[in-house]
Amino acid sequence: MKFIFKFFLFIYSFYSLSSLSKEKDYEVNNGYYLQLGVGYKTPKYMPLRYGSPTYRDGVFGRDLKQNDGFEKDLGIGYRFNNKFRISINYKNYYQPAHDYIFYNPNFIGGTYVDNPKLKVDAYSINIFRDFIFKNSNFSPYIGAGIGFANTHNPDFGSIVRANGSTLTSSFKAHNSGSLYKEIMAGINYRINKKNTVFIQSAYSGVDDYVIMHSSGAERVQIQNPKTLTFLSGIRISF
């Protein structure tokens, strides 16, 4: 909650700063730009399907919680005019698995002692619509992107169950490919003609992905691990 408050305070500060440093003509620098950003991914409970011999034979009977995580973003973009631009981005992020709960109250959930990190390397192509106003260095934008990703999880390790007993998870290390999608909204602040800083919120992540079972079969599926992300960074025009 504190982070969200700080995020909106940051937006307000940028808006106030832009009002104090207005320029008569907002001239965009068309052409290529480099984008660098870092972000925070919010925690989320995700439906988990467990089946035998594979996940397709199971039902969604529990939720897996992933904690908040950290995201790095690197992109190369091209601005066509003061309205539209595109970019190709590489994102790397992780979110540790924390615990799981069953829908059936007669089953006992547990916490993952080792906080196994679910890691993603994603590549996407994105299109943006900027809303640039004259006499202001402040400009909002919206965007959408699609691409592909490699997901990796380690062995899930030790579990402490809600009743105090311990066991070892049957979820094993696994790599898999997945579709990556995101929708974005943000605010730009132009420092000068070549440099722009931004803050952005996005609903982003991979589609459903599978985890390997100790039996060697893909018996586990995690559904819709997309989360809300807050990103800030800089764009440098060439």
Side-chain angles (χ1 to χ4, degrees):
M1 200 69 186
K2 287 182 180 178
F3 182 87
I4 294 174
F5 174 76
K6 289 178 182 178
F7 175 73
F8 284 109
L9 184 63
F10 194 37
I11 292 176
Y12 178 77
S13 300
F14 262 72
Y15 179 78
S16 301
L17 186 61
S18 70
S19 299
L20 293 173
S21 24
K22 290 178 180 178
E23 298 182 7
K24 237 177 181 182
D25 297 307
Y26 191 115
E27 296 177 3
V28 296
N29 193 26
N30 295 335
Y32 292 98
Y33 64 85
L34 172 69
Q35 176 173 304
L36 303 170
V38 293
Y40 165 84
K41 295 187 78 68
T42 56
K44 180 183 181 181
Y45 274 102
M46 307 171 294
L48 185 149
R49 177 163 61 167
Y50 183 94
S52 180
T54 73
Y55 66 86
R56 296 179 183 86
D57 303 291
V59 295
F60 290 100
R62 69 182 94 172
D63 281 345
L64 172 72
K65 182 186 180 183
Q66 58 182 12
N67 280 345
D68 52 359
F70 178 73
E71 177 176 291
K72 293 174 283 187
D73 176 271
L74 172 65
I76 295 290
Y78 186 85
R79 176 179 289 284
F80 296 100
N81 49 48
N82 64 356
K83 291 183 179 180
F84 295 102
R85 55 189 168 88
I86 61 170
S87 70
I88 296 175
N89 289 64
Y90 164 71
K91 294 179 185 290
N92 170 268
Y93 66 87
Y94 67 83
Q95 291 189 259
H98 182 262
D99 65 81
Y100 63 93
I101 55 174
F102 287 98
Y103 301 159
N104 188 332
N106 296 318
F107 291 176
I108 302 172
T111 300
Y112 294 103
V113 177
D114 302 322
N115 288 319
K117 290 181 179 178
L118 308 176
K119 298 181 181 179
V120 175
D121 292 291
Y123 303 86
S124 64
I125 184 166
N126 313 281
I127 184 167
F128 298 91
R129 171 64 161 93
D130 289 299
F131 300 90
I132 295 174
F133 304 109
K134 288 184 178 180
N135 304 320
S136 176
N137 292 337
F138 166 90
S139 61
Y141 65 89
I142 56 174
I146 190 168
F148 65 92
N150 179 63
T151 63
H152 169 76
N153 67 273
D155 292 353
F156 273 46
S158 301
I159 297 172
V160 176
R161 302 173 75 197
N163 63 3
S165 62
T166 62
L167 55 88
T168 299
S169 174
S170 59
F171 299 174
K172 297 301 179 182
H174 186 52
N175 290 307
S176 63
S178 179
L179 200 61
Y180 176 87
K181 301 172 186 174
E182 62 181 332
I183 53 174
M184 299 157 278
I187 301 170
N188 299 312
Y189 179 77
R190 186 181 68 157
I191 301 172
N192 52 47
K193 193 173 180 181
K194 287 189 173 291
N195 300 298
T196 299
V197 292
F198 68 93
I199 51 176
Q200 173 181 291
S201 63
Y203 183 67
S204 61
V206 295
D207 276 352
D208 305 351
Y209 66 91
V210 297
I211 293 175
M212 190 66 70
H213 186 262
S214 56
S215 65
E218 293 181 337
R219 293 177 62 178
V220 183
Q221 181 191 42
I222 294 177
Q223 187 181 54
N224 189 26
K226 297 180 183 66
T227 60
L228 187 63
T229 303
F230 298 97
L231 186 78
S232 62
I234 187 169
R235 297 191 195 96
I236 304 167
S237 299
F238 301 148

